[in-house]
Amino acid sequence: MSGLVRWILSFSLIIFLVNSTIASERKFNLGQIANKEEVDGWDIDVRPDGLGAPIGSGTALFGEEIYTEQCAACHGDFGEGADRWPALVGGEDSLASHDPEKTTGSYWPYASTMYDYIYRAMPYGVAQSLSFDETYQIVAYLLYMSDIIEEDFVLSDKNIGEIEMPNRDGFLLPDPRPDIINTQGNPCMSNCQVSTNIIGKARDIDVTPEDE
Amino acid sequence: MKKNKKNEVSNFKKINRRDLIIGASSIGAISLAPKKLLSEEANPENLPPNLPEWTQYLGDGVDVNPYGMPSEFEGHVIRRNVEWLTASAESSVNFTPLQDLEGFVTPNGLCFERHHGGVSVINPQDFRLMINGLVDREMIFTLDDLKRFPQTNKFYFLECAANGGMEWKGSQLNGCQYTFGMVHNVQYTGVKLSDLLLETGLKEKAKWVLAEGSDSSGMTRSIPIEKILDDCIIAWAMNGEALRPEQGYPARLVVPGWEGNMWVKWIRRLEFGDKPYMTREETSKYTDLLTSGKARMFTWVMDAKSVITSPSPEKPILSKGLHQLRGLAWSGRGKIKRVDISIDGGKNWKTAQLHSPVLSKSLTRFTLPFEWNGEELLLQSRAIDETNYVQPTISELQKIRGVNSIYHNNSIATWLVSKNGKVDNVRLG
C-alpha cells in the first residue's frame, strides 16, 4: 500500500469517526430503514403548533352537512350529545361547578387535538375514513358551534395552530404530587382522632351490577 | 352377588358421568360468561367414609384439554363490567376479580380490559413497529426483529388512572372488584426501549415520544424521553406466554408505575419530537379537574394504594373464629414498605405481613390473621411505600382536589363487616 493510499484511508476513517459521533452507528443491525412513503402513511399526528397538519382546509358552512351525516347520530345535531355519547358543544363556565361539562368548546385546550383525534379515530368504528378537507370542515363546524370562529372562517393547515381555545390556560403543570401532608412514613398507629360515623353505603345507592 | 350389583350401579354411574362430561365441555365453551353456581352444601355421598366417584373412575386424558382452563367450579371468577358506565362495550372497561385471587400475579385471562375501539386482531406477520421523528435513522421493526434484541423479564402492575374513580363523591359500587379491579400484575417479556433506540439513534433535540396504537382508536400518548430511556419496554409476552389479544397482542408499551392509559396496546409507532403532542387522551381525558375549574395535566405516576381483598363485599365472613385477612398493595414510586390494618375505622392500626417477593412497581401481597366473634368491624388498609408516602384518606384528597377529578383516587377504602358477617363498602365522615 502506498503512503498516499494509507493516508487517504486513515483520513476517511477520521471522517467516519467524526460522522459517527453525529449520527450514531447501528448497534445490532436489526430492523429496516423506513422510507418516506411508509412514514408519511402512518405519521398522522398533528401538534398544537400545527406541525404535522396535512395540507387542506374547510369552513363551518361546508362542515354542517358532513357533520350531520357522519357525527350527529351520536353527538346530536348541535353537538349536544345523544344517549350516553359525549356532548361536543356547551358547558361554558361549568368547569368550577358541581356538574362540570367537558366539551371541545369548554375544555379542550387545542384545536389541533380535535383535528388529530377526529381524523385518527372518527367516525367511531370507521376510523381514518374522512378526507383531510372533511376533517377540517368538521373541526370548523364544531369551533363555529362553540362561537370560537365565524361560519365562513377558512380553517387550514396554515392556521390550525393559531386558533385560541377558551380553556387554553385551564391546565396546571407540573404535577404537584405528592400533594398530601403525610409523606414522612410515620402515621398515627393508636387512639387516632378520626371520625368513624358511617355517612354513606354503596348498598343504598344500589347501582352495583348483580350476577344473574 | 353383592359385587355384581355394585358393578351395575357403577356402569350406570359411568354412563351418566360421560353425559356429564359432554355437558360440562359444552358449558366450558361458553364459560367466559359463566354463572356456574356452586352448590351451597357438600354432597354427603362424597364425604368420609364414602367413596367419591372421582376416586373410583378415570378422569380426562391428556388429549382433552390442549389449552387448560380453570375448574368448572371456578366459573364465578371472571372479569365483570358495569354496563351503565359507558355508551358502548368497545370503548369501555371491565374489572379484575381481585377478591378471588391469591399471591401477586394476575392470571392472563383475568387481567382487566380497557379499550377505546375494541380489541384489534393482528396476525403477528403483519405487525410493524415504526420509529420516526428526531432519530438518526427512521426504522421499521418486525416482531421477529424485536425478539432478537437483548431481552428483559419484569413484573409490573398496570393500573387505570380511573380505578376508584366512581368513589370520589361517596361509596357507590358495592364490591372490591368494581372499586379496585382496574389493576393487574403480570411478568412482561420484551425489549427495553433504551436498547431498541441504540439501533435508531436519538437526536439531541428529542425530548418527547408519541406512542401510537394501531387499534381503531389510534390510541396516542406523549411520554417524556427520560421515562422512555429509564424503564419502558416493548413487550410481547405476559406471564410466560404471548400477550392476550385484549392486552395488545402482538406487542404493547410498558410504562412501569405510570397510569395504564399510557401503556399503548397494539403499538405501531413511536415518534420522537421536541414538544408534547397534546393528544385527546392527555388533554380532554386523563387530566384531573380541581374545584377551581383548572385541571392538572400530565399526572402520570400512580401513588401508593392498597385494598383488603378478603373480607370484602364479595367475600363475607361465614363463621366465627380465626380468619386470614388478605390484600394487595402497590406504588408507582417503588416498593411497598409497610401495610397497616385497622378494624375500627382508622383509630388503631396493626402492621400486616408482606409476602415476598416485594418488587418495585409491582403488586405486593399482605395478610394478617384475625379472630372474629360476630362483632361489627370497620376494616381499612393503609399502604406506605419506600419513599415514605402514606396512602391518604378520601377526605385528605378531597380537601386538595375536590370531588370532580375522576382520576388518581388512591384513598383508603372502608369495609363494614356487619354482625351477620356481610361486608359493605361504606364511607366514614
Side-chain angles (χ1 to χ4, degrees), chain A residues 24 28-30 32 34 43 45 47 84 107 113 120 124 170 172 177 179 189 195 199 203 208 211, chain B residues 80 85 88 136-138 140 174 199 212 269 271 274 278 287 295-296 301 349 400 424 427 429:
Chain A
S24 61
F28 305 102
N29 276 315
L30 296 168
Q32 301 293 319
D43 185 0
D45 59 87
R47 238 169 45 170
R84 293 197 53 78
Y107 196 62
T113 311
R120 74 171 54 249
Y124 188 61
L172 304 171
R177 295 176 305 152
D179 54 355
M189 290 299 283
S195 167
I199 57 169
R203 182 182 300 278
T208 309
D211 286 352
Chain B
R80 291 178 174 84
L85 265 182
S88 109
D136 294 333
R137 285 167 295 280
E138 298 192 318
I140 293 177
N174 203 27
E199 201 63 8
E212 180 179 75
R269 196 166 67 92
E271 178 178 325
D274 59 347
M278 300 295 183
T287 47
R296 290 180 185 173
V301 178
W349 298 85
I400 301 161
D424 273 295
R427 180 61 47 88

Side-chain angles (χ1 to χ4, degrees), chain A residues 162-209:
Chain A
E162 293 159 15
I163 302 295
E164 280 180 35
M165 300 293 280
N167 198 41
R168 168 70 185 81
D169 297 323
F171 295 88
L172 304 171
L173 287 166
D175 183 357
R177 295 176 305 152
D179 54 355
I180 55 163
I181 298 158
N182 194 339
T183 55
Q184 306 307 311
N186 56 352
C188 173
M189 290 299 283
S190 57
N191 300 313
C192 310
Q193 297 301 306
V194 291
S195 167
T196 57
N197 297 321
I198 294 170
I199 57 169
K201 278 189 184 183
R203 182 182 300 278
D204 298 337
I205 310 276
D206 197 23
V207 292
T208 309

Side-chain angles (χ1 to χ4, degrees), chain A residues 22-36 38-49 51 84-86 94-100 102 107-110 112-113 116-117 120-122 124-125 127-128 167 169-203 205-212, chain B residues 35 80-82 84-88 90-91 116 128 130 132 136-141 145 148-150 169 171-174 178 195 198-199 201 210 212 216-218 220 268-269 271 274-280 283-284 287 289-301 303 333 338 340 344-349 351 378 382 384 388-390 392 397 400-401 404 406 408 416 424-429:
Chain A
I22 297 164
S24 61
E25 271 186 86
R26 292 173 66 170
K27 183 162 179 195
F28 305 102
N29 276 315
L30 296 168
Q32 301 293 319
I33 301 297
N35 67 39
K36 186 175 181 307
E38 290 169 328
V39 173
D40 287 350
W42 277 16
D43 185 0
I44 58 171
D45 59 87
V46 181
R47 238 169 45 170
D49 56 9
L51 190 78
R84 293 197 53 78
W85 301 101
S94 74
L95 297 180
S97 74
H98 282 295
D99 202 10
K102 297 189 253 182
Y107 196 62
W108 291 42
Y110 303 103
S112 63
T113 311
D116 178 279
Y117 181 68
R120 74 171 54 249
M122 292 289 122
Y124 188 61
Q128 299 186 36
N167 198 41
D169 297 323
F171 295 88
L172 304 171
L173 287 166
D175 183 357
R177 295 176 305 152
D179 54 355
I180 55 163
I181 298 158
N182 194 339
T183 55
Q184 306 307 311
N186 56 352
C188 173
M189 290 299 283
S190 57
N191 300 313
C192 310
Q193 297 301 306
V194 291
S195 167
T196 57
N197 297 321
I198 294 170
I199 57 169
K201 278 189 184 183
R203 182 182 300 278
I205 310 276
D206 197 23
V207 292
T208 309
E210 281 174 30
D211 286 352
E212 283 146 26
Chain B
K35 298 284 149 42
R80 291 178 174 84
N81 67 317
V82 179
W84 54 262
L85 265 182
T86 52
S88 109
E90 291 78 22
S91 181
H116 295 73
R128 293 292 183 276
M130 177 183 288
N132 72 310
D136 294 333
R137 285 167 295 280
E138 298 192 318
M139 296 190 70
I140 293 177
F141 299 94
D145 291 333
R148 292 166 67 189
F149 278 85
K169 292 181 186 177
S171 294
Q172 189 169 208
L173 288 164
N174 203 27
Y178 294 119
D195 280 336
L198 291 174
E199 201 63 8
L210 180 76
E212 180 179 75
S216 79
S217 78
T220 38
R268 78 165 192 178
R269 196 166 67 92
E271 178 178 325
D274 59 347
K275 291 177 187 168
Y277 292 80
M278 300 295 183
T279 70
R280 180 248 198 185
T283 55
S284 75
T287 47
L289 188 60
L290 307 175
T291 47
S292 64
K294 302 274 186 198
R296 290 180 185 173
M297 180 180 254
F298 294 158
T299 49
W300 299 307
V301 178
D303 277 325
R333 298 184 195 273
R338 197 176 97 197
D340 299 328
D344 58 8
K347 287 178 180 163
N348 297 285
W349 298 85
T351 297
L378 290 168
R382 177 176 70 188
I384 303 171
N388 284 329
Y389 175 97
V390 181
L397 286 188
I400 301 161
R401 304 187 204 161
N404 281 330
I406 302 174
H408 295 288
L416 162 69
D424 273 295
N425 174 20
V426 300
R427 180 61 47 88
L428 304 182

Side-chain angles (χ1 to χ4, degrees), chain B residues 3-114:
Chain B
K3 199 181 174 191
N4 277 345
K5 194 181 173 190
K6 192 181 175 189
N7 274 346
E8 275 169 33
V9 173
S10 304
N11 284 334
F12 176 70
K13 269 195 182 171
K14 195 161 189 175
I15 288 161
N16 260 354
R17 189 168 179 278
R18 284 230 166 124
D19 289 345
L20 278 176
I21 291 169
I22 293 160
S25 66
S26 62
I27 288 170
I30 53 158
S31 76
L32 289 181
K35 298 284 149 42
K36 184 107 189 171
L37 292 177
L38 299 180
S39 60
E40 295 285 317
E41 307 274 329
N43 178 356
E45 285 180 32
N46 291 333
L47 302 181
N50 300 322
L51 198 56
E53 59 177 59
W54 64 81
T55 307
Q56 198 162 22
Y57 305 113
L58 297 176
D60 286 345
V62 295
D63 51 354
V64 175
N65 288 306
Y67 193 102
M69 295 296 285
S71 158
E72 61 188 279
F73 301 107
E74 296 298 316
H76 58 291
V77 185
I78 52 170
R79 297 180 288 220
R80 291 178 174 84
N81 67 317
V82 179
E83 219 178 297
W84 54 262
L85 265 182
T86 52
S88 109
E90 291 78 22
S91 181
S92 193
V93 63
N94 61 24
F95 301 84
T96 305
L98 298 176
Q99 70 280 359
D100 290 302
L101 303 182
E102 306 286 359
F104 78 118
V105 178
T106 315
N108 286 343
L110 295 175
C111 290
F112 83 95
E113 300 169 72
R114 171 68 170 116

